[in-house]
Amino acid sequence: MHENGLPPCKVVLREKQSHDEKHRPIHYVAASEDLQVGDVAFSVPNSLVVTLERVLGNETIAELLTTNKLSELACLALYLMYEKKQGKKSFWHPFIRELDRQRGRGQLAVESPLLWSDSELDYLTGSPTRAEVLDRNEGVKREYNELDTVWFMAGSLFKQYPYDIPTEAFPFEIFKQAFVAVQSCVVHLQKVSLARRFALVPLGPPLLAYKSNCKAMLTAVDGAVELVVDRPYKAGEPIAVWCGPQPNSRLLLNYGFVDEDNPYDRIVVEASLNTEDPQYQDKRMVAQRNGKLAVQVFNVYVGREKEAILEMLPYLRLGYVSDPHEMQSVVSSQGPICPVSPCMERAVLDQLSDYFKHRLSLYLTTLSEDEAALSGSNLDPKKRVAVQLVLLEKKMLNACLHATMELISQLPDHTISPCPAPFAPLLK
């Protein structure tokens, strides 16, 4: 990089052993000297950064491709696969060699679950993340099937490669590995054109550690991408960057790690009004008036579970209104207030508590079993990160259940039988 225009920087590459003895040690970027807040750790010129604008040589084509069937990740992965076939003749050979060494692994854990076996994915049983992995795999497969579109639309680019069209040159598994490697290290640049917003930056991820409570980001400046540190570092300490406000499920899916101190961690509760309800249209109108949808997603953030429950209650109460006169009263009011009897409130809260109990029952292990497993030193790295994820999910679900039971305990009469609710909202 120095030979090709990298200015002097304040970092050095260090090596640490892999979790798996079969894999080569991985590199990480460390401070080469003591750093203070605000210091520029490194500044990589645009000539050493891979973007779609650079790959396709035409911003219009880049935007056209990624607006339709292909993601930026797929295009970048395809480009690097063709470059890899060039071997040492490729300008990007050292960068590709480094990506191969990292194998899509970040600094804290293992490969993305997109590369896990079926038996390894079973570690995530009970977690919605397992279904997300399968959906993402299907999405990667669809993109692979569309790769030839890039070849034909950007023919001037690929004329330099004496190889077959993409789906003939590369098996799907090779493409998926490349896709995951790009996914683990792509940088989302802000305040740049669409064709430059996804960038592969040497010295960037996965050589940098990710931290959810870090605010340092790789930033596009005039003619370069630079990293300004947000905290002091001693010489030899690994450099960390922020990975955006992502929940742990996304961190695991994209980068292969879980951050136990992640303030952005969350679970999702989806509630929907019952379409068979004769008053469905009126309820949908009232929900929309109050900023909610007929199918509403509620994000439950860690540490704010009770707050999320209180946000759900007006929506769920609306679903329980059955008397047409009461419904007209709700329609004519301007707020989200529904007439609430202790009977209806108990029914709403019972539905919520049953829902959280059901979600907890889907996991194969208990909280105490997860904690015991994590206390051991011989846990398989993939299983360890999976257990970390499901443990944190269970803690949030338990906090939701606790908040719901607390509200039930505050009802004036514990002997009231729950109200019948033929068209109660649906939760999933």
Side-chain angles (χ1 to χ4, degrees), residues 4-192:
N4 287 283
L6 180 73
C9 53
K10 299 177 180 179
V11 298
V12 64
L13 275 184
R14 294 283 176 87
E15 188 176 275
K16 66 179 179 182
Q17 291 301 310
S18 169
H19 290 299
D20 191 331
E21 294 180 356
K22 294 182 294 185
H23 298 160
R24 298 170 65 194
I26 59 176
H27 284 146
Y28 64 95
V29 169
S32 58
E33 59 188 75
D34 290 354
L35 299 177
Q36 302 303 318
V37 175
D39 283 353
V40 176
F42 58 78
S43 181
V44 180
N46 287 344
S47 59
L48 295 176
V49 175
V50 186
T51 63
L52 279 190
E53 185 178 43
R54 181 186 181 97
V55 167
L56 299 175
N58 184 307
E59 188 170 333
T60 303
I61 289 180
E63 292 185 11
L64 182 63
L65 281 171
T66 55
T67 303
N68 290 286
K69 297 180 178 179
L70 284 166
S71 68
E72 290 91 342
L73 298 183
C75 294
L76 291 170
L78 178 61
Y79 175 71
L80 290 185
M81 286 193 298
Y82 275 115
E83 283 293 318
K84 184 175 180 178
K85 275 184 172 283
Q86 300 279 73
K88 293 183 179 179
K89 292 188 295 181
S90 169
F91 175 79
W92 301 109
H93 174 70
F95 179 52
I96 294 169
R97 184 179 58 197
E98 193 61 39
L99 290 182
D100 283 346
R101 172 192 280 265
Q102 301 298 117
R103 293 178 57 86
R105 297 168 292 172
Q107 293 299 306
L108 301 180
V110 294
E111 301 116 314
S112 162
L114 294 178
L115 299 178
W116 292 11
S117 67
D118 289 344
S119 60
E120 290 166 340
L121 280 180
D122 286 343
Y123 301 151
L124 296 170
T125 297
S127 171
T129 306
R130 190 178 189 281
E132 290 177 26
V133 172
L134 297 176
D135 287 344
R136 180 75 69 88
N137 267 324
E138 286 299 313
V140 174
K141 181 68 173 179
R142 285 193 298 272
E143 294 211 77
Y144 173 76
N145 292 334
E146 294 293 339
L147 281 182
D148 294 349
T149 306
V150 187
W151 176 279
F152 295 119
M153 291 186 68
S156 60
L157 166 71
F158 293 108
K159 282 178 183 175
Q160 64 183 292
Y161 300 114
Y163 310 113
D164 293 330
I165 60 175
T167 54
E168 295 178 8
F170 308 106
F172 171 66
E173 286 303 318
I174 297 297
F175 171 73
K176 188 166 79 166
Q177 289 170 13
F179 184 95
V180 169
V182 169
Q183 174 182 264
S184 73
C185 62
V186 73
V187 175
H188 296 234
L189 296 177
Q190 305 297 314
K191 299 178 182 178
V192 297

Side-chain angles (χ1 to χ4, degrees), residues 235-387:
E237 287 185 337
I239 304 290
V241 292
W242 189 44
C243 42
Q246 302 184 62
N248 279 324
S249 58
R250 190 63 55 84
L251 296 180
L252 178 60
L253 188 59
N254 290 342
Y255 313 116
F257 80 95
V258 168
D259 186 348
E260 295 180 343
D261 298 316
N262 183 359
Y264 307 101
D265 201 16
R266 66 176 185 265
I267 56 174
V268 170
V269 175
E270 184 183 290
S272 56
L273 298 174
N274 195 322
T275 56
E276 297 179 3
D277 188 339
Q279 302 180 93
Y280 170 76
Q281 293 299 340
D282 282 343
K283 291 181 179 181
R284 187 177 70 164
M285 179 187 68
V286 171
Q288 289 175 341
R289 192 171 67 196
N290 290 284
K292 299 292 189 287
L293 302 172
V295 179
Q296 178 64 40
V297 171
F298 293 94
N299 288 310
V300 182
Y301 286 90
V302 62
R304 290 152 52 190
E305 291 87 355
K306 186 172 183 179
E307 180 183 322
I309 297 298
L310 294 176
E311 183 191 358
M312 294 177 205
L313 288 180
Y315 185 90
L316 297 177
R317 289 171 186 146
L318 174 64
Y320 273 78
V321 175
S322 56
D323 185 284
H325 296 293
E326 288 184 351
M327 192 65 231
Q328 286 310 305
S329 173
V330 173
V331 169
S332 61
S333 70
Q334 294 303 308
I337 304 302
C338 293
V340 179
S341 65
C343 166
M344 177 193 285
E345 191 74 345
R346 179 61 184 265
V348 170
L349 292 172
D350 277 349
Q351 183 185 11
L352 268 179
S353 65
D354 289 345
Y355 166 77
F356 292 123
K357 289 174 184 175
H358 172 69
R359 282 192 59 169
L360 285 164
S361 73
L362 297 176
Y363 294 97
L364 299 178
T365 54
T366 64
L367 274 172
S368 57
E369 288 172 335
D370 292 341
E371 289 168 343
L374 290 174
S375 66
S377 58
N378 297 322
L379 200 60
D380 172 80
K382 291 177 182 175
K383 187 165 187 177
R384 176 173 294 278
V385 76
V387 172

